[in-house]
Amino acid sequence: NTAAEYRKAEPQVILACDYVYASPIDKDNVHRKNALSFIVKWMSGTSDFSFIIDESVYRIANNDNEVMGVYFACLSKYALEKGKGVDREELKFNSFVLLANYCENPDNNYKPRGEIKKLIEAKNQGKLKEYLDSKKK
């Protein structure tokens, strides 16, 4: 409940993020669901980081809870690894790089389609920033 408790939980948050990122999408995996719940709870309560989820995330994820969960894990992982001073645009950009890498890996049980497919293509063509900027409007 306190800022100190949220800071103390950070090593466990990183472990939860690593677990989500290393495990394939599986709606029956209770441990993955619990890890995602823990990450989201930490994100919503920590005072050390400000996670602003803009409309581009929703447009790209297209209401896919699995993709959103992986994105939250990517955001948290990158923020914690870079520290408090991480720039918001850098955080967003690199979290989408991590998400694209996850989604394009066939071992993760995800078939890229729609905006996620476009996200991966933009990343692979070196045009991710332009793609993300186009989703703000």
Side-chain angles (χ1 to χ4, degrees), residues 14-25:
I14 290 175
L15 288 173
C17 292
D18 288 344
Y19 178 76
V20 169
Y21 198 75
S23 62
I25 290 176

Side-chain angles (χ1 to χ4, degrees), residues 92-111:
K92 178 181 172 181
F93 178 84
N94 286 292
S95 297
F96 273 115
V97 169
L98 290 170
L99 178 66
N101 291 342
Y102 180 91
C103 290
E104 74 181 338
N105 181 344
D107 293 339
N108 288 324
N109 292 340
Y110 184 80
K111 179 147 177 53

